[in-house]
Amino acid sequence: MTTRTAGGPVTATYWMDHAWLGTHVEPDVTVEVADGRIAGVRTGVETPPPGATVLRGLTLPGLANAHSHAFHRALRATVQVGSGTFWTWRELMYQVASRLTPDTYFDLARATYAEMALAGITSVGEFHYLHHAPGGTPYANPNAMGEALIAAAAEAGIRITLLDTAYLAAGFGEQPNRHQLRFSDTTADAWAERASLLKGDDHTLIGAAIHSVRAVPAGQLATVAQWAEERNAPLHVHLSEQTAENDACLAAHGRTPTRLLADHGVLGPRTTGIHNTHLTEEDIALLGSSTTGTCMCPTTERDLADGIGPAVALQKAGSPLSLGSDSHAVIDLFEEARAMELNERLRTNIRGHWTAAALLRAASADGHAALGRPDAGVLEPGAPADLTTVALDSVRTAGPVPRLAAETAVFAASAADVRHTVVAGRHIVRDGRHALIEDVPGALAAAVAALHH
């Protein structure tokens, strides 16, 4: 038996028949929890200690969904009718956004975050730009929408990094359209004043986001970056998701979006570019040399026909990779992880760009780091006691030997195979059922229906 411990009285004990310890699958592992953190990790514990909760399957560190737009969950299937482009999809998205209130947003986000918990996600990065009432009038509480998201995550039992987003323009030199008035604080200074009123707690971090270079005038990018720097907060930005954005930026500023961000002090180790799809070699070098992160969202990128980003080149250049479900075409971090690898196989005709271990790290530790929690995503003393257990006896996962359980999880399992989710030592999903929300499908159906009637 080996033992690694940290201080503090034990408040819960979990025994796992198999656990992923970052490099290998270890059988018979006990994790002790104190004050929401891992107090001890013991291997070689052949039978569950008295009073321990048994987690059968492969237990991983809790998964991090580094990029979410909660209200897009209401678009599932609706946007699969007919054909079109990202820009036609966006018009349908605006229609749903126009109907949301703080109350209906809370209901939808609570159900969506509960779906994430059922998928083994213990922390979400919510890229939040739906700030004001229709027409752009601030609510009496100017952060009513953001606080609804924070409350929704708390009731669903997962952590949230609220990435409050500056979204000020429709495009380069263009005023917001009628839909975007809800998003805009008019100036970055006004955005900063409102965002400064948001408060975090044990399960909530407050970060910042620049919607895109087309949505924040170049002269105001530094204001958002400085706000995040002063708070040592994560800063996210949609980057080169569309070639049209690149073309417009070149026309307006004579440089790529990545170069524009670099020139205004936006890039750096606390910054994550979302998508990073259509990049030049110089862009890749700028992102890598500044250790700016990359969040790939493969299920959304393929759903919107955006393209396949240069994830391998970005990581080799020094950009850490994380994963997000973005528009929630599906909510499944295992699918995001394998899609990143399988997309690259299709693009290159070569197999094996990442190991299962590397893909699990993108889905956990590097995702948590992108959300401002660099101590999370590992089963080690001192880390948050966030756990995800994947069944190894479902029709998808049965058969492979246990030492290949990481490969089984990444390349065969789905969100439906998640058996347990633990957040801060608290059992949120037990045997595939949400402990806090009795009927998650019913909650989703009701919340979505309220926006389509």
Side-chain angles (χ1 to χ4, degrees):
M1 178 188 292
T2 61
T3 302
R4 293 173 287 164
T5 60
V10 173
T11 54
T13 301
Y14 290 93
W15 181 85
M16 309 148 190
D17 55 2
H18 295 92
W20 175 250
L21 299 184
T23 56
H24 65 287
V25 176
E26 183 76 27
D28 303 330
V29 176
T30 293
V31 166
E32 295 173 339
V33 178
D35 297 324
R37 291 187 173 269
I38 296 175
V41 178
R42 306 177 191 279
T43 59
V45 183
E46 294 185 1
T47 57
T53 299
V54 175
L55 305 179
R56 295 204 180 276
L58 174 67
T59 298
L60 309 162
L63 305 179
N65 188 354
H67 188 63
S68 162
H69 300 292
F71 76 89
H72 290 189
R73 177 60 180 80
L75 298 171
R76 189 178 294 180
T78 304
V79 292
Q80 306 303 339
V81 178
S83 60
T85 66
F86 167 85
W87 307 103
T88 53
W89 170 90
R90 191 173 71 156
E91 291 304 312
L92 294 171
M93 179 269 287
Y94 284 156
Q95 292 176 26
V96 169
S98 70
R99 301 184 189 120
L100 284 160
T101 68
D103 288 342
T104 58
Y105 205 6
F106 167 81
D107 291 341
L108 179 59
R110 174 179 176 267
T112 301
Y113 296 153
E115 182 181 356
M116 291 185 196
L118 289 167
I121 292 162
T122 59
S123 187
V124 61
E126 183 61 39
F127 199 103
H128 166 56
Y129 54 80
L130 190 54
H131 303 305
H132 307 302
T137 303
Y139 290 102
N141 171 3
N143 285 308
M145 296 295 264
E147 290 176 9
L149 292 166
I150 292 171
E155 289 211 9
I158 69 172
R159 304 179 192 272
I160 185 172
T161 298
L162 187 73
L163 298 156
D164 196 278
T165 304
Y167 193 140
L168 309 174
F172 298 99
E174 297 179 28
Q175 293 299 308
N177 65 33
R178 62 186 179 87
H179 298 294
Q180 295 163 339
L181 291 172
R182 295 198 74 174
F183 311 158
S184 178
D185 291 293
T186 69
T187 68
D189 286 334
W191 165 85
E193 183 177 353
R194 180 187 52 72
S196 296
L197 301 174
L198 288 161
K199 302 292 186 229
D201 55 37
D202 287 347
H203 280 247
T204 307
L205 295 178
I206 305 300
I210 292 164
H211 179 273
S212 55
V213 293
R214 68 179 187 273
V216 177
Q220 300 183 58
L221 292 170
T223 299
V224 185
Q226 184 177 354
W227 187 95
E229 183 177 1
E230 289 171 354
R231 291 160 178 77
N232 195 32
L235 174 62
H236 289 206
V237 54
H238 289 134
L239 181 56
S240 290
E241 181 179 4
Q242 296 291 325
T243 55
E245 176 182 283
N246 290 354
D247 295 343
C249 189
L250 286 165
H253 296 289
R255 64 200 81 179
T256 66
T258 301
R259 170 53 76 181
L260 187 68
L261 294 174
D263 290 348
H264 289 274
V266 175
L267 303 185
R270 285 181 298 96
T271 300
T272 299
I274 310 301
H275 305 301
N276 295 1
T277 307
H278 302 284
L279 303 177
T280 66
E281 290 186 6
E282 182 195 28
D283 292 340
I284 293 169
L286 284 168
L287 293 166
S289 63
S290 61
T291 62
T292 299
T294 294
C295 179
M296 304 298 289
C297 306
T299 65
T300 291
E301 289 150 5
R302 70 192 185 195
D303 182 53
L304 299 182
D306 284 344
I308 300 171
V312 171
L314 282 160
Q315 188 170 50
K316 285 180 178 177
S319 178
L321 298 178
S322 56
L323 296 164
S325 63
D326 192 359
S327 69
H328 313 313
V330 296
I331 295 176
D332 188 336
L333 264 287
F334 302 111
E335 176 63 23
E336 303 294 345
R338 70 172 155 263
M340 187 164 70
E341 165 67 27
L342 298 182
N343 284 353
E344 195 67 16
R345 293 183 186 187
L346 286 173
R347 193 178 68 81
T348 62
N349 297 327
I350 297 171
R351 303 176 74 241
H353 301 273
W354 293 277
T355 62
L359 293 168
L360 286 174
R361 181 174 179 83
S364 56
D366 285 345
H368 291 294
L371 298 180
R373 293 189 172 88
D375 57 343
V378 291
L379 300 185
E380 295 178 3
D386 297 352
L387 314 171
T388 297
T389 303
V390 181
L392 295 179
D393 57 358
S394 78
V395 292
R396 287 166 294 278
T397 60
V401 295
R403 67 180 176 82
L404 295 177
E407 286 77 8
T408 302
V410 170
F411 290 103
S414 77
D417 296 311
V418 171
R419 185 171 279 166
H420 303 283
T421 305
V422 174
V423 181
R426 183 186 186 194
H427 216 144
I428 301 300
V429 173
R430 186 189 296 266
D431 295 320
R433 295 187 64 84
H434 202 289
L436 306 180
I437 299 172
E438 184 174 343
D439 181 10
V440 177
L444 283 162
V448 172
L451 299 176
H452 288 295
H453 286 298

